[in-house]
Amino acid sequence: MHGGPFVPSNAFSSLVIGGLIKLNGVQVPLTLSKTISKPGKPLLASAECFANPGGLLPVRPPSKLPPPGNLCLQVSLEPERLGYGRVGSVYPLRIDNTNQCALPSLVIKVAARRRSDDLAREAWFYEEMEDIQGVAIARCYGLFTAEIEQTSEVLDWAESDADCDEEEVDIRGEDSPSEDYCDTEDTWDRYAWRDSEDLVMEEFSWEVVFKREEERDKLRDQLREKLRQERREKRDRTIKPTRADPVSVRSRSDKTFLSVLVLERLGDVMPIGVPLEAFKPDVREIYSDMGRFGVHHIDIRWRNILAAPATDQSIVCPYHGHKHQWRVVDFDLSRKSNHLHSGIETAANGWLQTILDGLEEGYVVEPWD
């Protein structure tokens, strides 16, 4: 970490990372560009009594950040994996251009193959809760993407690639700009695809969430297969190589997308088998902070609540008047909600109590237990 105030989270427009990919067996640096995030579908209240006035979603507060910067962050990936999940894996970073600006210790979350849209949704929630970055959630320095060769060896994709040798399909459509990789509504509408119906308060359970995530993944796979077939048919009709131009058209199937999220590195998980009374109020306050933004975290788990970094640059909470000891991570399953703040608090506190009680007793409670 470099001395002085941390650089604003929107200071970087590009990222150069070493140690992440190999091309033809040779490790090469990869340059990624800052890209857009993607909001998920809202979590709607089932009745007016549960909802904000008018049933409206909370409005994102005006940003306090300066205009976006144009700096390039140069980092190297450390091989020790800190964690992994459905969307991707987390690795620590070594910052190579430290004389450029002040930064905390960083990690990178690398999206698994075909999980870029999920990581984009997670990035959106960090942006949505900008006011409590460094307060209740980790600081986020942006979502970055790059188009890479299909033959590239991505560190985090080795295991998944062994189980899946099918052609990667870009579901944006053939003519979409490369930087806007997120799934567009037009593309989904074209195939009459819709996310599962909006969740309502009575259905707010992990069983429902996981079931609908599985349904969503199945529908997405079906869409990709349909797009693959269309692409093959189109290629058969349009690609006619000549002697002068033996490869007249380079298929987009030669390329795939790699997405990463750059975050502040946090501390350890909560201890197990010891009293946690000193921590419980702070964790409840953190979830109360997120509830002010209408955010249902949903993925409330032991491993998603981490200690604040050991730095004097933690920010005093604007709602509680002190620095929080903990931070929340993992927002790929989160939903923006029109529920009353008190309702979001109640939903979070009930599950938090179960998790914290289990930790004191010496075991970890998972949502699917």
Side-chain angles (χ1 to χ4, degrees), residues 71-114:
L71 298 178
C72 176
L73 177 60
Q74 299 176 23
V75 297
S76 296
L77 186 144
E78 301 285 358
E80 174 198 1
R81 186 164 67 174
L82 299 176
Y84 65 95
R86 184 182 66 92
V87 172
S89 297
V90 177
Y91 293 89
L93 293 177
R94 184 181 71 246
I95 302 170
D96 296 332
N97 54 343
T98 54
N99 60 343
Q100 191 176 62
C101 53
L103 283 165
S105 297
L106 298 176
V107 298
I108 191 170
K109 186 169 185 177
V110 183
R113 190 184 288 274
R114 290 179 290 277

Side-chain angles (χ1 to χ4, degrees), residues 72 183 293:
C72 176
D183 309 335
F293 295 83

Side-chain angles (χ1 to χ4, degrees), residues 73-201:
L73 177 60
Q74 299 176 23
V75 297
S76 296
L77 186 144
E78 301 285 358
E80 174 198 1
R81 186 164 67 174
L82 299 176
Y84 65 95
R86 184 182 66 92
V87 172
S89 297
V90 177
Y91 293 89
L93 293 177
R94 184 181 71 246
I95 302 170
D96 296 332
N97 54 343
T98 54
N99 60 343
Q100 191 176 62
C101 53
L103 283 165
S105 297
L106 298 176
V107 298
I108 191 170
K109 186 169 185 177
V110 183
R113 190 184 288 274
R114 290 179 290 277
R115 289 296 183 181
S116 287
D117 56 340
D118 294 294
L119 196 65
R121 183 164 64 243
E122 180 168 5
W124 184 85
F125 278 99
Y126 279 105
E127 295 171 3
E128 187 74 4
M129 297 184 286
E130 174 196 313
D131 281 1
I132 55 174
Q133 288 189 27
V135 176
I137 63 176
R139 292 177 171 91
C140 178
Y141 289 90
L143 176 71
F144 298 84
T145 35
E147 194 175 40
I148 63 174
E149 299 288 341
Q150 281 278 14
T151 54
S152 300
E153 299 174 41
V154 179
L155 177 65
D156 197 51
W157 291 358
E159 295 178 5
S160 59
D161 285 351
D163 298 329
C164 182
D165 58 0
E166 63 185 15
E167 176 189 14
E168 173 70 359
V169 170
D170 173 16
I171 57 179
R172 299 170 303 150
E174 299 257 354
D175 301 322
S176 301
S178 60
E179 65 272 12
D180 184 12
Y181 73 95
C182 297
D183 309 335
T184 63
E185 287 298 323
D186 289 342
T187 302
W188 297 119
D189 289 347
R190 178 181 172 195
Y191 295 98
W193 184 91
R194 276 290 181 269
D195 197 357
S196 303
E197 64 270 22
D198 297 326
L199 294 172
V200 295
M201 181 63 88

Side-chain angles (χ1 to χ4, degrees), residues 257-269:
F257 288 91
L258 174 63
S259 300
V260 303
L261 191 62
V262 179
L263 300 163
E264 171 185 37
R265 184 170 185 173
L266 302 175
D268 293 330
V269 293

